[in-house]
Amino acid sequence: MDKSPNVVRHQPAVIRSRRETLNGHRSVNLWFTGLSGSGKSTLAHAVEERLHLMGCRTYVFDGDNVRHGLCRDLGFSPEDRSENLRRIAEMVHLFIDTGVIALTAFISPLRADREKVRSIVGPENFIEIYCSCPLEICEQRDVKGLYQKARRGEISNYTGISSPYEPPVAPDLTFDTNTQTVNECIKTVVLYLKEMGIII
Ligand code: ADP
């Protein structure tokens, strides 16, 4: 619902395409999705490092810098997860307008929520990257010790344990992080961005 109907947008002269020209690359959203521990943060930051060294303007959004700030009032119920992603999508949309390559590392377990993100960010800006990894491996990695807690029943609504994860139907890229190395994944993303004409 629109609570501020009389707000009129100012038409800027410095627009996205001018910023992209200045940056020397296009802006886009690399949306990493997958179970906790599947490698989203690792890959988002590793790809960012590579792109940064190539002279690209980048920013990584992940749970830590969003859930402690913009979304600190939200929990992990389906409604709150949905609102969390809606806010992130709106923010990413603004970052796209700044000409930045926005990399996002969120479990984003539900297809419907990811589709909502796609429509807010703009389908032409949204590249869905599925970090595929068997639950057993994610549990073995247990990067944050949260699977153990979830198994003990100390965390409710934990994706993969007590809350569903719906894999993407047609992701733009899929990485099997159980068998592929981080370097292989980075190379594939960079190649994809070149093929799509996003970077040169
Ligand atoms: P998430 O952000 O999805 O919760 P993390 O990136 O925090 O996952 O953790 C993934 C773990 O898996 C890290 O310890 C990382 O080193 C390891 N790993 C092994 N192979 C890969 C790969 N190909 N891609 C990403 N992470 C990998």
Side-chain angles (χ1 to χ4, degrees):
M1 102 215 62
D2 198 342
K3 289 189 179 172
S4 41
N6 296 318
V7 175
V8 181
R9 278 175 200 267
H10 186 84
Q11 202 50 251
V14 180
I15 55 171
R16 173 180 170 181
S17 57
R18 289 179 64 191
R19 296 191 188 98
E20 288 178 322
T21 303
L22 195 64
N23 290 342
H25 60 81
R26 285 181 47 213
S27 52
V28 79
N29 172 210
L30 301 177
W31 185 275
F32 293 84
T33 174
L35 292 169
S36 177
S38 62
K40 303 178 297 295
S41 295
T42 303
L43 287 183
H45 286 282
V47 170
E48 174 177 54
E49 177 66 30
R50 183 68 54 90
L51 292 175
H52 183 77
L53 289 174
M54 293 170 72
C56 300
R57 298 191 191 279
T58 57
Y59 192 74
V60 174
F61 295 92
D62 66 21
D64 289 343
N65 61 16
V66 174
R67 283 219 174 249
H68 293 317
L70 179 70
C71 300
R72 69 188 315 161
D73 56 320
L74 300 174
F76 289 87
S77 69
E79 299 74 32
D80 279 7
R81 281 176 186 255
S82 187
E83 173 60 10
N84 183 47
L85 293 177
R86 188 193 67 79
R87 290 184 199 174
I88 290 161
E90 291 289 359
M91 194 165 51
V92 166
H93 190 220
L94 293 176
F95 266 66
I96 298 272
D97 201 42
T98 70
V100 159
I101 296 176
L103 305 98
T104 44
F106 299 99
I107 299 175
S108 47
L110 301 182
R111 273 182 211 123
D113 285 338
R114 291 195 302 269
E115 285 317 303
K116 221 184 295 168
V117 170
R118 186 194 300 275
S119 71
I120 294 171
V121 170
E124 69 286 5
N125 303 317
F126 184 80
I127 296 173
E128 189 173 38
I129 304 178
Y130 176 33
C131 295
S132 170
C133 188
L135 178 63
E136 311 83 78
I137 303 297
C138 294
E139 257 192 285
Q140 274 170 30
R141 289 177 176 167
D142 210 0
V143 186
K144 298 171 187 160
L146 297 179
Y147 279 103
Q148 263 193 30
K149 279 193 176 178
R151 285 290 182 200
R152 289 199 298 264
E154 292 167 20
I155 308 176
S156 53
N157 290 321
Y158 199 74
T159 304
I161 307 290
S162 45
S163 187
Y165 179 80
E166 300 172 349
V169 178
D172 298 285
L173 292 171
T174 299
F175 296 119
D176 181 346
T177 67
N178 188 29
T179 58
Q180 287 180 275
T181 66
V182 174
N183 251 332
E184 280 167 24
C185 302
I186 299 173
K187 273 191 195 157
T188 305
V189 174
V190 169
L191 194 65
Y192 182 85
L193 293 177
K194 284 184 176 170
E195 279 171 8
M196 299 299 284
I198 290 157
I199 59 175
I200 40 171

